Amino acid sequence: MNYKKLFELRGELTSKEKITLTILGSVILILFWFLLAEVLSKTIITQNDTISPTSLSEEHRKYYESDSLLVANYTLLETKSIQDLKGFGLVKNKVYPILPSPIKVIKAFPELNKDDDVIGNTFLSIKLNVLGYLLAIIIAIPVGFLLGLIPLFRGLFSKIIDSYRFIPLTAVTGIFIMWLGLGSQMKVSFLAFGIIVYLIPVVVQRIDEVQKVYLNTVFTLGATPWQTIKSVYMPYVFSKLIDDIRVLTAISWTYITIVEMLNKGGGIGELIWTAKRQSRIDKAFAILIIIVIIGVVQDRLFVIIDKLLFPYKHINKNKR
């Protein structure tokens, strides 16, 4: 590996170098996570559930059965050896109130699978996400083309729709609940709305970016307005729009977790809410890792679809 090249401004990396550095970066982040979790961890003294209280002396049993004594004498008890604590029916436990250890997070996955049906809830969230995206695309693309191509519609509605991006989406959840209840229809509609308010202005922007040289060419060839839309606007806009949709998939997971926290209808959002109520920060981090993995897989699928539908976009990249 050429180490000087690693520090060049906007330098290029080979595929092998990218993979190596990605693995190295992941290891560094996990080690930093582990060390930070240990620094922020705390040791607490709790009852030892593996023993019988009747086996303790009366004095020691008071400590075992009273949380107030544990708190009042915590400093004194902390100085005692593990063997002495056993005599009181107590044990030292390390807890992670702020940042869970990576080991704790890994151990949370089997529990999530056994007790919380994490696989079924994950696929439910993916289903809602896909349905919301399809609904948003079906609505946003035609509306975006109308606003971008027809001056009348642009003048009437463009500024109004642009302003919708400033609506805090968490504030309109109540409106969607009043309209559609707490079922899947509400969740899909809310997700679609959250994507539409961003996607329509993007479609209009992509239409404005079409270079006039292409329009002049088809005009010279005598193309009709529909032929111009079909041969110039649609190929150009769609080839750019897939990148915009790819970026918005990350935002959509924020919306879907918000609506899934509102009721016990299943999904990843509900699992996060349950983990919060149980004070299981390790479970919450495990669920976040699942969302990240899904996001990475979705991103790669969009890249593959992009290469299949618009191979000309990647010709120059492949030659490098």
Side-chain angles (χ1 to χ4, degrees), residues 216-273:
N216 292 335
T217 300
V218 294
F219 177 77
T220 303
L221 294 172
T224 64
W226 168 243
Q227 289 173 329
T228 303
I229 293 172
K230 183 180 177 181
S231 59
V232 177
Y233 283 109
M234 290 179 68
Y236 181 89
V237 172
F238 289 163
S239 67
K240 299 291 183 181
L241 203 58
I242 192 169
D243 295 323
D244 301 317
I245 293 173
R246 177 183 164 194
V247 172
L248 284 175
T249 52
I251 302 175
S252 68
W253 277 101
T254 303
Y255 303 152
I256 201 67
T257 52
I258 289 172
V259 292
E260 285 178 341
M261 288 181 181
L262 297 175
N263 70 326
K264 294 183 178 181
I268 284 181
E270 185 191 335
L271 294 186
I272 293 176
W273 176 250

Side-chain angles (χ1 to χ4, degrees), residues 60-71:
H60 290 174
R61 195 185 309 159
K62 291 179 181 178
Y63 280 88
Y64 182 85
E65 296 176 345
S66 173
D67 290 337
S68 59
L69 281 176
L70 282 178
V71 174

Side-chain angles (χ1 to χ4, degrees), residues 77 146 181 188:
L77 291 169
L146 281 175
V188 172

Side-chain angles (χ1 to χ4, degrees), residues 9-60:
L9 296 178
R10 300 195 66 180
E12 295 287 339
L13 294 173
T14 64
S15 298
K16 184 179 180 180
E17 289 171 339
K18 288 179 181 177
I19 294 172
T20 302
L21 291 175
T22 299
I23 295 173
L24 180 60
S26 300
V27 172
I28 292 172
L29 285 176
I30 292 172
L31 288 175
F32 178 75
W33 175 10
F34 181 83
L35 292 174
L36 187 59
E38 292 300 319
V39 170
L40 297 174
S41 67
K42 294 180 180 180
T43 301
I44 62 172
I45 297 172
T46 59
Q47 290 89 350
N48 187 349
D49 296 331
T50 62
I51 68 165
S52 172
T54 57
S55 64
L56 303 174
S57 66
E58 185 176 349
E59 179 185 355
H60 290 174

Side-chain angles (χ1 to χ4, degrees), residues 77-89:
L77 291 169
E78 194 177 24
T79 61
K80 293 184 177 295
S81 66
I82 295 175
Q83 193 63 36
D84 289 337
L85 285 175
K86 285 183 178 178
F88 284 86

Side-chain angles (χ1 to χ4, degrees), residues 141-156:
I141 291 180
V143 173
F145 268 87
L146 281 175
L147 297 179
L149 294 175
I150 310 298
L152 173 63
F153 293 113
R154 177 175 290 207
L156 286 173

